[in-house]
Amino acid sequence: AIFSFASLNFRFSRKLAGLLMAGLLLVAAVATWFIASGPAPRATGPAPPTRAGTALPGTRTVSLRTPPLTGRFPVGTMSLRLTDRSRRDPSSPSGVRELMVQFWYPAQSTRGHAVAPYMPAQVAQLVERYYRIPDHLVERLRTRAYTDAPITPGRHAVLLYSPGLGDMRSDDTALEENLASDGFVVVAIDHTHEAQWVQFPDGRIVPWSVPYTSSSPHGFTPEVARRRVKDLQFVVAELSMLDRGNPVLRGALDLARVGAFGFSLGGSTAANAMKTDPEIRAGADLDGAIHDPVLGSGLSRPFMIMLDPRAFVYFRPFVRRLTGPYLVLQLDASRHDAFTDGVWLSVLVRLVAPRLAAALAPGSVNASAAVGAESAYLDAFFETYLDGRPSSLLPGQSRTHPVVKVLARRG
């Protein structure tokens, strides 16, 4: 069945911590393309108690970083709490739906701005406690972005990102950063109650609370799908206010060039949001099964699908219902988690814990090739259909990215 490979994700966030624990055992001795030496950032809160044993040798002077940026701009980032007063949520202090969103954008300058952490400090501490990870290792995982750096002048196309079910907004940081380095403003959404943990500015932590039932063993229900789509629609509606009033984003968002993409269930969320919101002009799905109503109706605006090698047979009916431009790609030797940060984290883990790396299921695709290809095709697709600048990458097979096959296209 389609649910076995793409509909729902493999709870990547919970495996991330295990991967870090195994991989970091070798961090002081192994230099790979995503390890950077330097002083560790200052911890932002008290150290959680740990029963994981003694600190790992050498980890106090080494920190993990996300892969190098593929674009020409440095990257800034900031996180905001957004409140949707049209939807009730009795569990929130305000009584209405609250979301955390993170903006990644091309920065004019990073001087004087701190390197952004991979995830919020309290969430990182929860991960460390849950998995008994010592020495603040998750707290010290760093991105390539700088907190609250000024945005590059001009108006930028906006891309909304929806994670997989159970994922957090941080779980595809490499792609988010790369698209920002190419000039897009990326808005990554934590779907409250569906992400593993969401930290709000007042310190509240809202955990995953989607119930498992016999009819929805992974927590997926039509109600979950509809709520996610409404989250995207709400964020799109908030963009005009942010473009007028936010000190970092003021005058920088081109609301005539809005796209959406997502991983796993987030891909279906992007497609269904496109169907109901004409302001979303183009979209992309990273290895996620498409669900109704858009599964039955199709789309008339540009849509890209990037899949693992087992998946296309399940997508043929949906592709036949696409009446606008589309591009269907296969990432060779990949599996589901190759479309998340799991693909580059698993490189290090494979050296010390092959079975654990295999459980993450990114496949055997080269990590650098996977991140580079995913970033390049997303950039080219949105550049073509949002910016109106056709890319030479889309028409045929690419020599630059031989791990990608074009399975179907129109336009």
Side-chain angles (χ1 to χ4, degrees):
I2 195 165
F3 289 94
S4 67
F5 75 92
S7 173
L8 305 168
N9 97 49
F10 295 99
R11 304 307 301 277
F12 165 68
S13 301
R14 295 198 173 185
K15 283 185 279 190
L16 166 64
L19 286 164
L20 288 170
M21 185 67 252
L24 285 163
L25 292 172
L26 205 61
V27 75
V30 179
T32 65
W33 57 273
F34 57 88
I35 292 180
S37 297
R42 180 178 299 175
T44 56
T50 178
R51 295 179 299 222
T54 59
L56 305 179
T59 59
R60 293 194 183 280
T61 58
V62 180
S63 61
L64 287 176
R65 294 195 76 178
T66 51
L69 300 174
T70 56
R72 63 190 180 93
F73 293 103
V75 173
T77 187
M78 67 171 189
S79 298
L80 295 175
R81 178 179 71 96
L82 300 180
T83 302
D84 184 354
R85 300 191 180 281
S86 70
R87 290 187 288 165
R88 291 188 52 76
D89 182 354
S91 69
S92 75
S94 64
V96 295
R97 178 77 167 162
E98 296 180 330
L99 298 175
M100 285 301 299
V101 298
Q102 187 162 2
F103 288 79
W104 306 85
Y105 51 85
Q108 181 180 26
S109 170
T110 60
R111 185 183 298 275
H113 293 269
V115 176
Y118 186 75
M119 61 178 64
Q122 289 178 252
V123 174
Q125 290 170 6
L126 282 171
V127 172
E128 288 166 345
R129 282 197 187 99
Y130 191 88
Y131 292 96
R132 301 181 181 183
I133 299 173
D135 211 18
H136 307 288
L137 292 175
V138 181
E139 291 173 79
R140 289 165 48 198
L141 181 57
R142 291 190 275 178
T143 68
R144 301 278 171 176
Y146 293 80
T147 302
D148 295 331
I151 195 167
T152 299
R155 288 196 169 271
H156 306 277
V158 181
L159 303 178
L160 279 66
Y161 172 74
S162 176
L165 184 62
D167 275 3
M168 297 184 285
R169 67 180 191 262
S170 57
D171 291 345
D172 240 327
T173 293
L175 292 184
E176 294 157 5
E177 289 185 308
N178 284 340
L179 288 167
S181 75
D182 286 322
F184 294 99
V185 173
V186 181
V187 190
I189 301 168
D190 266 338
H191 296 285
T192 311
H193 303 301
E194 299 160 35
Q196 187 177 1
W197 288 295
V198 182
Q199 178 180 332
F200 286 93
D202 60 6
R204 282 179 297 130
I205 302 288
V206 179
W208 160 283
S209 61
V210 176
Y212 296 100
T213 66
S214 58
S215 60
S216 57
H218 299 284
F220 172 78
T221 64
E223 179 185 358
V224 166
R226 287 191 295 269
R227 184 166 60 212
R228 287 171 145 257
V229 170
K230 288 180 180 178
D231 286 347
L232 263 68
Q233 292 172 328
F234 166 66
V235 174
V236 170
E238 290 291 287
L239 291 177
S240 60
M241 180 192 69
L242 294 169
D243 185 59
R244 292 193 306 269
N246 183 271
V248 174
L249 302 173
R250 186 181 294 117
L253 307 180
D254 188 340
L255 304 184
R257 295 186 291 148
V258 176
F261 72 109
F263 162 68
S264 194
L265 182 58
S268 179
T269 302
N272 277 286
M274 278 185 67
K275 185 66 179 179
T276 56
D277 192 335
E279 292 187 67
I280 303 176
R281 307 300 177 90
D285 170 21
L286 301 176
D287 209 43
I290 302 295
H291 296 283
D292 281 328
V294 76
L295 175 62
S297 64
L299 290 167
S300 60
R301 296 192 294 283
F303 198 71
M304 184 183 98
I305 304 170
M306 198 173 210
L307 302 168
D308 73 57
R310 303 172 298 165
F312 185 50
V313 62
Y314 300 101
F315 280 80
R316 290 182 187 275
F318 175 67
V319 172
R320 285 197 291 266
R321 297 184 182 102
L322 297 176
T323 58
Y326 62 78
L327 179 66
V328 184
L329 305 169
Q330 174 179 296
L331 184 63
D332 285 346
S334 70
R335 297 187 68 184
H336 198 50
D337 288 323
F339 301 88
T340 71
D341 285 349
V343 72
W344 56 267
L345 283 169
S346 67
V347 173
L348 181 60
V349 178
R350 195 175 297 124
L351 299 174
V352 294
R355 290 186 180 180
L356 184 57
L360 185 64
S364 59
V365 63
N366 176 273
S368 180
V371 174
E374 292 163 19
S375 301
Y377 274 95
L378 285 168
D379 173 59
F381 188 80
F382 286 119
E383 187 177 82
T384 297
Y385 292 108
L386 293 182
D387 295 349
R389 292 184 291 141
S391 170
S392 59
L393 183 62
L394 300 186
Q397 300 296 145
S398 168
R399 293 183 180 180
T400 308
H401 302 286
V403 295
V404 173
K405 285 188 174 66
V406 178
L407 302 180
R409 64 181 299 271
R410 175 195 291 141

